Amino acid sequence: MRYSLSLIAPALALTLILPTATSLGFGPYEQHPYEQQHWFETRQVKSQDPAPVKPASSLVIDTFRNPLHNDLGFWHGTGENLTLQHEPGSMRLFPTDPDQNFHTQFDVHDCFSLLPWKDQFLHVVFEGNEEFTVSLNEHNAQCNPAQSPFPGVPDSVQASRYIMRTRSWDPDHDDDDWDESLKHGKQKLPLKHRFRNDTRGGGRQRPARSKRSELFIPLSHFRLDHKRVVSVSFTGFYTREPITLYRVEIVPDVPSPAAWNGYFNIPEKLPTGQLILRCSRPNSFAFGIDDGQPQYAQEVMRILDEEDVRVTFFAVATGLRDRSTNFTRFYGEMLKKGHQVALHSNTHPKMEALPTLHEINDEIVQSIRTLEDELGVRCRVTILFLQGQTLTISSTARYFRPPFGTVGVRLRQQLAQYIDNPYIVNWSVDVEDWLWGDTNTPERQLDAFYRDVARGGNLAVMHYLNPITAGYLRHFIRHVKSLGLNIMRVDQCLEDPNSPPL
Ligand SMILES: *[C@@H]1O[C@H](CO)[C@@H](O)[C@H](O)[C@H]1NC(C)=O
Ligand SMILES: *[C@@H]1O[C@H](CO)[C@@H](O)[C@H](O)[C@H]1NC(C)=O
Ligand SMILES: *[C@@H]1O[C@H](CO)[C@@H](O)[C@H](O)[C@H]1NC(C)=O
Ligand SMILES: *[C@@H]1O[C@H](CO)[C@@H](O)[C@H](O)[C@H]1NC(C)=O
Ligand SMILES: [Zn+2]
């Protein structure tokens, strides 16, 4: 059935911009950054019964007929201030930052399983900017959006590697028909069924009027637990060109390579390391302490000594090389005391925002070299063959914390080229020192810490950029101890066989 144009006309060009916390009348404290995100709330906007699950047939996730929910009846939208423009049949994204995300969700209040489709392909029809990351996000272990972390861990692929470039549209079908049917949400067979193979080569070659591109990504390229998947998301934008999404679905197969599709072949999965948000060891808790001010370093050391706990420091390489900071001696002493020192880039940029792979690589290589040269910390696993025996010298710096927590697939892939199976360490407890450190309510850092720990977070991020935050470290540690949790280095809390014994 077709909708009449006059009915949909008023809905055209409806622009959705996420209201900021302030415009909702909340102060910044009443709204935790995650709570500003629509998807933290109960965003299950069910308007219809979800399609019955028929394994091995396709699963239409989103055709963007509705501004607020997808074809499964669940929320789609952005948690960040990504500007969106919805028209029936499409969603246009105007990205400005690689941290922005557009999510189309499954059931966040349940463990939504994609196992019936695990051998199939994510198919995305879009237009515009190709420079982005496609992620499939795992839900947390409880499948509960109120638990930290939410969402859980993503695995990601680089959109541009999976694009099928079609030379023209099916000559028997009119482009307008295709456009209209998409706009009106009419169910369409996946594109492959609309093409006949090479017969078209001799037929009328019509230049594509539309610049639509298609992605086909094997679900197996997303290394995560397919039994609990929370969303498909589009993120990691490093150019500002808009992207228009038309269709997100899972299909059983991919068109075979032919002239009309540029002999499309699925690329191989590139390693992306492991993204870490939580400790895995039962009853463990870890502090990942990032950059700081040299003048508070000794205070941090004193607290850690007195509380007798070991942590992981993520050190910025330029700071280490700068003799005036005394960081080489400080981190050297921390290593001797049994703490872990790991990578946090060379100059602390949002790495996914860097325009070239060369710049991303340079950040990685300089930071690895600096840790090796200044502190003797090895970043690669070295395998030696001595008198017929294999000797593995473990690396302590397979651990990388992305500046600002900005993670996209280019960063993940490049890191995995230099470091064998890197751990990319985000967090599930945010002290929010970046938010409250320099305000007249610094104690909100304590509230933030207690809140995230209460939600089940066990891997913290903090800095020692101001004396109050540095002083709070003792409160954080005592709070964790009072809960009966054991504080240890990140590698130990991840049960890394190469980590030192507890
Ligand atoms: C939101 O977007 C504006 C403009 O693009 C940017 O300046 C600002 O930093 C963004 N805010 C957040 C919280 O990302
Ligand atoms: C079209 O594809 C089918 C199945 O792959 C094949 O059997 C058939 O020969 C193809 N037709 C032409 C004209 O290439
Ligand atoms: C530099 O760090 C070392 C090791 O922590 C410390 O003993 C020394 O006092 C520090 N020097 C300055 C000037 O802070
Ligand atoms: C990592 O942390 C940053 C900052 O909180 C957040 O924006 C980002 O979404 C996180 N990434 C993942 C994959 O959790
Ligand atoms: Zn940092």
Side-chain angles (χ1 to χ4, degrees):
M1 194 199 97
R2 292 222 161 189
Y3 300 97
S4 89
L5 248 187
S6 61
L7 267 178
I8 55 168
L12 290 173
L14 164 65
T15 301
L16 295 175
I17 300 174
L18 186 75
T20 61
T22 342
S23 73
L24 287 170
F26 294 108
Y29 182 55
E30 284 71 34
Q31 288 280 297
H32 177 252
Y34 266 17
E35 279 151 5
Q36 291 175 23
Q37 300 183 7
H38 276 215
W39 73 344
F40 183 77
E41 302 156 27
T42 304
R43 299 298 302 188
Q44 190 178 344
V45 201
K46 271 208 162 115
S47 67
Q48 64 202 48
D49 292 334
V53 172
K54 278 194 241 124
S57 69
S58 49
L59 175 71
V60 178
I61 300 168
D62 211 335
T63 56
F64 304 97
R65 284 176 293 174
N66 185 288
L68 292 177
H69 66 82
N70 61 25
D71 294 46
L72 301 172
F74 301 112
W75 177 72
H76 62 195
T78 178
E80 295 79 20
N81 62 354
L82 170 60
T83 303
L84 303 176
Q85 186 183 336
H86 177 260
E87 292 180 24
S90 72
M91 184 71 83
R92 185 171 256 225
L93 322 181
F94 296 88
T96 55
D97 189 287
D99 280 329
Q100 294 168 330
N101 258 294
F102 178 84
H103 304 275
T104 186
Q105 276 187 344
F106 303 106
D107 189 350
V108 295
H109 297 280
D110 207 349
C111 294
F112 187 93
S113 175
L114 281 180
L115 274 189
W117 294 273
K118 69 174 180 7
D119 299 322
Q120 301 195 9
F121 303 86
L122 183 67
H123 177 222
V124 178
V125 182
F126 75 102
E127 188 176 311
N129 185 352
E130 299 178 359
E131 314 294 2
F132 61 94
T133 295
V134 181
S135 296
L136 194 64
N137 298 286
E138 187 180 282
H139 210 326
N140 56 35
Q142 299 82 9
C143 297
N144 177 351
Q147 290 287 307
S148 182
F150 178 76
V153 175
D155 196 15
S156 308
V157 301
Q158 189 176 351
S160 56
R161 296 185 66 238
Y162 292 81
I163 293 178
M164 181 179 78
R165 295 174 198 281
T166 50
R167 286 234 305 259
S168 64
W169 298 95
D170 189 325
D172 292 343
H173 286 79
D174 192 86
D175 283 351
D176 294 330
D177 175 46
W178 168 249
D179 285 341
E180 287 300 297
S181 61
L182 269 179
K183 254 188 207 144
H184 297 180
K186 200 176 97 183
Q187 291 289 337
K188 274 274 168 186
L189 290 171
L191 258 186
K192 66 180 188 78
H193 299 301
R194 306 190 65 238
F195 289 118
R196 287 190 309 270
N197 46 6
D198 290 341
T199 51
R200 53 188 298 103
R204 183 161 56 104
Q205 284 287 325
R206 216 171 104 165
R209 264 185 46 196
S210 159
K211 295 211 184 69
R212 269 175 210 180
S213 308
E214 290 178 74
L215 305 175
F216 286 93
I217 308 163
L219 283 190
S220 61
H221 284 203
F222 299 104
R223 305 272 157 84
L224 43 79
D225 186 350
H226 288 89
K227 286 196 297 302
R228 46 179 166 100
V229 178
V230 69
S231 62
V232 176
S233 61
F234 302 88
T235 183
F237 313 104
Y238 59 98
T239 72
R240 292 183 169 221
E241 211 193 304
I243 299 170
T244 309
L245 298 171
Y246 296 100
R247 191 174 183 90
V248 180
E249 65 185 344
I250 297 174
V251 296
D253 38 32
V254 167
S256 38
W260 65 266
N261 62 25
Y263 297 97
F264 175 68
N265 252 312
I266 299 284
E268 63 178 323
K269 161 78 180 170
L270 291 180
T272 42
Q274 296 180 59
L275 191 83
I276 303 294
L277 306 174
R278 306 189 82 245
C279 295
S280 60
R281 191 188 291 271
N283 253 19
S284 67
F285 191 101
F287 287 92
I289 304 183
D290 294 0
D291 27 308
Q293 289 288 340
Q295 62 266 40
Y296 311 125
Q298 298 297 317
E299 160 89 345
V300 168
M301 187 188 306
R302 186 161 52 246
I303 293 171
L304 295 174
D305 282 350
E306 287 168 10
E307 296 294 329
D308 193 23
V309 295
R310 247 62 56 202
V311 301
T312 297
F313 289 99
F314 293 98
V316 178
T318 45
L320 267 172
R321 290 195 303 267
D322 176 353
R323 290 283 160 259
S324 73
T325 63
N326 197 37
F327 275 148
T328 292
R329 290 188 61 202
F330 170 67
Y331 287 118
E333 190 174 352
M334 300 312 276
L335 282 169
K336 282 201 206 105
K337 289 174 188 280
H339 300 278
Q340 182 185 16
V341 181
L343 302 164
H344 192 37
S345 84
N346 187 40
T347 65
H348 208 275
K350 278 194 175 182
M351 284 170 68
E352 193 66 25
L354 295 174
T356 65
L357 291 185
H358 175 79
E359 289 161 275
I360 296 178
N361 291 345
D362 190 57
E363 287 289 328
I364 297 169
V365 171
Q366 300 280 355
S367 53
I368 290 176
R369 271 197 202 134
T370 303
L371 239 61
E372 286 177 349
D373 294 351
E374 300 288 324
L375 299 170
V377 172
R378 279 184 305 277
C379 299
R380 294 166 190 250
V381 178
T382 316
I383 298 173
L384 296 177
F385 299 97
L386 279 180
Q387 298 168 338
Q389 287 209 323
T390 311
L391 191 68
T392 306
I393 302 179
S394 71
S395 57
T396 48
R398 260 168 76 201
Y399 293 80
F400 173 85
R401 175 159 276 170
F404 309 100
T406 303
V407 187
V409 74
R410 292 187 310 149
L411 167 60
R412 292 182 68 163
Q413 286 172 177
Q414 295 316 114
L415 208 54
Q417 280 192 9
Y418 291 96
I419 302 170
D420 183 40
N421 194 17
Y423 290 100
I424 302 159
V425 186
N426 251 32
W427 48 83
S428 44
V429 176
D430 185 355
V431 167
E432 294 179 356
D433 43 357
W434 51 273
L435 189 57
W436 307 116
D438 295 321
T439 65
N440 52 13
T441 52
E443 69 281 1
R444 289 181 170 180
Q445 296 170 79
L446 292 170
D447 299 333
F449 184 83
Y450 302 152
R451 178 203 60 217
D452 285 353
V453 174
R455 283 182 184 162
N458 64 8
L459 203 174
V461 60
M462 66 175 284
H463 308 78
Y464 50 100
L465 293 165
N466 87 39
I468 299 178
T469 308
Y472 282 153
L473 178 55
R474 192 187 300 279
H475 298 263
F476 299 148
I477 291 171
R478 294 208 173 153
H479 180 71
V480 172
K481 285 179 173 172
S482 78
L483 298 171
L485 302 174
N486 303 314
I487 298 172
M488 59 192 71
R489 302 158 40 140
V490 170
D491 56 351
Q492 293 171 322
C493 95
L494 293 173
E495 304 170 272
D496 181 343
N498 291 321
S499 63
L502 290 175

